[in-house]
């Protein structure tokens, strides 16, 4: 199993760009936007326990994410539209206790249906393997989240048996880790 790697480079102003998105560390100024997106019941219905996050939880998420990025050089952060700079969601790498990194992402509803999920998952996979040199990455997806399941399969993830709750486990090994 992989774990956090404290030897990563210092945090950057942004992790990477895709054709339409910028993935960067959270900033304290993201609180209102994160609370808006993560507080939308439609956005979070397939995440964790499916309940919207309140402003205090979002503030804690930002603080912990910033600490993880400072310590490890990567983690979760903001997704902004490259053209407008608008905050459209979150993405990144969560570190479940004792397990390999898991990718997470979520978008505000106006961003749905535009292929941004596939775009950020592709960027996260490249970043995980080419920049961070992680041996594998995972994703847990609620079984009812058909869109995310399709995105992960299209990106090469394999579905693995996982008897926990109503989620499915998807795993992608770094081909260079052979």
């Amino acid at each position: 199993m992989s774990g956090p790697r404290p030897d990563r480079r210092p945090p950057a102003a942004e992790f990477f760009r895709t054709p339409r998105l910028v993935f960067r560390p959270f900033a304290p100024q993201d609180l209102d936007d994160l609370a808006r997106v993560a507080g939308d019941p439609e956005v979070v219905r397939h995440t964790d326990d499916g309940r919207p996050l309140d402003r205090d939880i979002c503030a804690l998420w930002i603080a912990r994410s910033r600490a993880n990025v400072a310590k490890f050089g990567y983690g979760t952060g903001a997704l902004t539209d490259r053209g407008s700079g608008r905050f459209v969601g979150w993405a990144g790498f969560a570190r479940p206790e004792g397990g390999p990194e898991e990718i997470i992402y979520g978008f505000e509803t106006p961003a749905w249906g535009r292929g941004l999920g596939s775009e950020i998952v592709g960027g996260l996979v490249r970043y995980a393997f080419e920049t961070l040199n992680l041996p594998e990455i995972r994703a847990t997806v609620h079984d009812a989240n058909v869109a995310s399941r399709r995105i992960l399969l299209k990106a090469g993830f394999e579905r693995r048996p996982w008897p926990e709750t109503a989620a499915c486990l998807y795993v992608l090994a770094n081909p260079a880790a052979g």
Side-chain angles (χ1 to χ4, degrees):
M1 287 192 175
S2 77
R5 290 163 181 76
D7 57 342
R8 295 287 172 216
R9 65 190 190 289
E14 60 186 54
F15 296 115
F16 62 81
R17 291 174 177 235
T18 67
R20 297 176 289 170
L21 298 167
V22 174
F23 171 45
R24 61 166 174 76
F26 282 124
Q29 310 86 286
D30 292 325
L31 180 55
D32 289 340
D33 287 321
L34 181 60
R36 173 181 54 83
V37 177
D40 182 336
E42 189 68 15
V43 171
V44 298
R45 74 175 190 251
H46 296 308
T47 62
D48 197 27
D49 63 5
R51 287 189 278 182
L53 302 182
D54 66 28
R55 187 176 176 79
D56 291 340
I57 296 296
C58 290
L60 182 60
W61 181 1
I62 288 172
R64 286 184 177 165
S65 295
R66 290 173 56 80
N68 281 336
V69 170
K71 183 174 182 179
F72 303 114
Y74 65 103
T76 60
L79 293 174
T80 59
D81 180 90
R82 278 185 71 168
S84 68
R86 177 180 170 76
F87 183 104
V88 296
W90 70 82
F93 302 93
R95 292 179 201 84
E97 193 64 39
E101 285 79 357
E102 291 192 12
I103 63 168
I104 64 169
Y105 58 93
F107 289 94
E108 66 180 357
T109 57
W112 291 6
R114 298 177 32 214
L116 295 176
S118 292
E119 190 170 312
I120 196 58
V121 166
L124 289 167
V125 167
R126 283 187 302 280
Y127 191 73
F129 295 157
E130 296 172 9
T131 302
L132 302 177
N133 198 31
L134 298 176
E136 79 174 19
I137 52 175
R138 296 178 175 209
T140 53
V141 178
H142 193 281
D143 198 40
N145 191 342
V146 175
S148 282
R149 290 180 18 223
R150 285 185 185 142
I151 289 168
L152 293 170
L153 291 172
K154 187 170 100 176
F157 283 76
E158 293 179 13
R159 184 176 174 167
R160 300 267 174 91
W162 200 43
E164 314 234 351
T165 67
C168 303
L169 174 66
Y170 293 81
V171 178
L172 182 62
N174 185 339

